[in-house]
Amino acid sequence: MAFVLIGGTGKTALRLAQFLQNDNHQFLLASRRGQSAAPQGMPAIKFDWMDKSTWKEPFLFPFVGGEKISAIYLMEPLVAEPWKPMNKFINYARQEHNVERFVLVAGTSSQVGKPGMGMVWQHFLQTGVDYCVLRPSWFMENLVQEGPLSVIKNDGKIYTACGQGKIPFISATDIAAVAYRALTDPKSHNCDHRVLGPELLTYDDIAQKLSTSLGRRIEHVNLSSEDRYQNLVDAGASDYYARFLVNLEIAASGGSETHINDDVLRVTGRAPKSFDLFAQEYRAVWL
Ligand SMILES: NC(=O)c1ccc[n+]([C@@H]2O[C@H](COP(=O)([O-])OP(=O)(O)OC[C@H]3O[C@@H](n4cnc5c(N)ncnc54)[C@H](OP(=O)(O)O)[C@@H]3O)[C@@H](O)[C@H]2O)c1
């Protein structure tokens, strides 16, 4: 039994790889940068959703004992109509290499058949393959990504178009913990999990919590959709990504993320991490 993590150098996949490594499971990270972006001691290969010639690479990897790939963790590329290459790859992995299970990380707004990851979800249902769709809310780790991190650190600001929208921020570690169960449990989950953090917070609340943790004022600046788009483009975001994020933030300002549940506790047996704990853990990074 071996596992392939596509988007393997990303926030959730690296944490998922750590869970697999701790339990002595064989795994392989797959992304465009391959080994150059992987942590030492974690096997990785070059894989690009948009380059079909790389799709065979995971299946050529020499797992110990000749183990075969039993399940694949899937993450979309940031391109138009990402479901098209993804569904083709799923067919290829099933038909040519007998992969039996797929775990997809999508978003809370995903719905079966809706353009986006809903099209991959629909493909799972239509083909009858074993699957799980993770629908996480917004990651706490976004705040320690290069862009937002330096704005918090240098300017004491968080820019969004989220207004007073409440969001159940979730740690990537908790998403990975749910993914770990979905990949390795003997019985496939064959459902979606809406992976939400423990409390509903506005970005004003986040700024307040960071101010308390860091001992200096951090301010949430709420922008109009036009200003937020320009703010993202000025910071180096592509037009596609800036539009995508602004749309999500405007939807969040209208309450699209305002949900709470106990899926993390139910699936993993552990309650999800609070933002206060996350802020404590990463305090040094923002200082
Ligand atoms: N961040 C959030 O708040 C949030 C909320 C809800 C849902 N999500 C969803 O959760 C998923 C994970 O997000 P994330 O923020 O953890 O992602 P991330 O850290 O940015 O990681 C993305 C990964 O995908 C790889 N990748 C990008 N294009 C690729 C391609 N064409 N072929 C193969 N690999 C490719 C990247 O590595 P290389 O550069 O090496 O290829 C990287 O490892 C995404 O699907 C996102 O939409 C995110």
Side-chain angles (χ1 to χ4, degrees):
M1 200 163 65
F3 304 95
V4 170
L5 315 184
I6 300 179
T9 49
K11 291 184 279 298
T12 55
L14 281 177
R15 289 165 171 86
L16 171 58
Q18 195 62 62
F19 283 119
L20 290 165
Q21 197 165 50
N22 293 347
D23 279 351
N24 292 319
H25 287 295
Q26 293 200 62
F27 65 90
L28 181 63
L29 308 179
S31 81
R32 292 166 305 179
R33 287 169 298 162
Q35 196 72 63
S36 69
Q40 232 185 351
M42 288 193 176
I45 46 131
K46 287 195 177 176
F47 176 98
D48 186 344
W49 284 117
M50 309 314 289
D51 178 0
K52 227 172 159 179
S53 72
T54 65
W55 290 6
K56 62 181 181 311
E57 297 302 328
F59 306 101
L60 298 174
F61 186 80
F63 289 105
V64 175
E67 287 287 345
K68 297 282 177 236
I69 296 164
S70 52
I72 302 183
Y73 183 66
L74 305 170
M75 187 184 305
E76 67 180 300
L78 276 178
V79 297
E81 303 188 324
W83 61 89
K84 290 187 172 169
M86 293 175 81
N87 287 347
K88 280 190 186 143
F89 174 78
I90 290 164
N91 292 345
Y92 163 72
R94 287 190 73 199
Q95 287 157 14
E96 307 282 325
H97 299 283
N98 301 315
V99 177
E100 291 157 1
R101 190 185 297 190
F102 296 88
V103 174
L104 170 71
V105 58
T108 39
S109 61
S110 235
Q111 286 170 23
V112 180
K114 188 176 154 189
M117 290 305 91
M119 299 297 278
V120 180
W121 190 352
Q122 184 173 56
H123 191 64
F124 292 149
L125 297 176
Q126 281 173 345
T127 56
V129 70
D130 279 342
Y131 79 98
C132 183
V133 176
L134 307 183
R135 298 166 61 211
S137 188
W138 296 17
F139 299 5
M140 295 177 185
E141 285 75 6
N142 294 345
L143 293 165
V144 288
Q145 291 256 99
E146 209 176 299
L149 169 64
S150 65
V151 179
I152 292 171
K153 205 168 162 173
N154 302 327
D155 309 335
K157 308 264 196 249
I158 303 172
Y159 295 103
T160 79
C162 289
Q164 292 305 307
K166 290 186 176 172
I167 299 165
F169 290 92
I170 177 86
S171 154
T173 307
D174 289 317
I175 301 166
V178 175
Y180 178 75
R181 294 257 58 101
L183 271 184
T184 62
D185 277 351
K187 194 170 180 310
S188 175
H189 293 194
N190 292 349
C191 67
D192 68 299
H193 296 305
R194 201 162 184 175
V195 189
L196 310 179
E199 56 191 331
L200 289 169
L201 299 170
T202 63
Y203 268 105
D204 282 2
D205 297 330
I206 294 287
Q208 181 56 52
K209 285 176 180 293
L210 286 179
S211 303
T212 305
S213 173
L214 303 183
R216 67 189 177 94
R217 183 168 148 74
I218 306 295
E219 186 194 358
H220 170 223
V221 183
N222 184 48
L223 300 174
S224 67
S225 55
E226 294 78 16
D227 289 350
R228 177 58 171 147
Y229 170 82
Q230 202 52 51
N231 165 260
L232 285 162
V233 170
D234 290 348
S238 67
D239 171 71
Y240 175 84
Y241 183 69
R243 283 183 200 285
F244 170 76
L245 195 58
V246 170
N247 284 338
L248 283 182
E249 290 188 352
I250 294 294
S253 74
S256 66
E257 292 294 318
T258 307
H259 301 276
I260 208 91
N261 68 16
D262 66 352
D263 277 23
V264 174
L265 178 63
R266 197 171 43 74
V267 176
T268 69
R270 268 190 320 108
K273 185 185 290 186
S274 69
F275 190 82
D276 287 325
L277 180 56
F278 175 79
Q280 242 178 50
E281 286 174 357
Y282 282 89
R283 189 169 178 273
V285 177
W286 290 301
L287 281 176

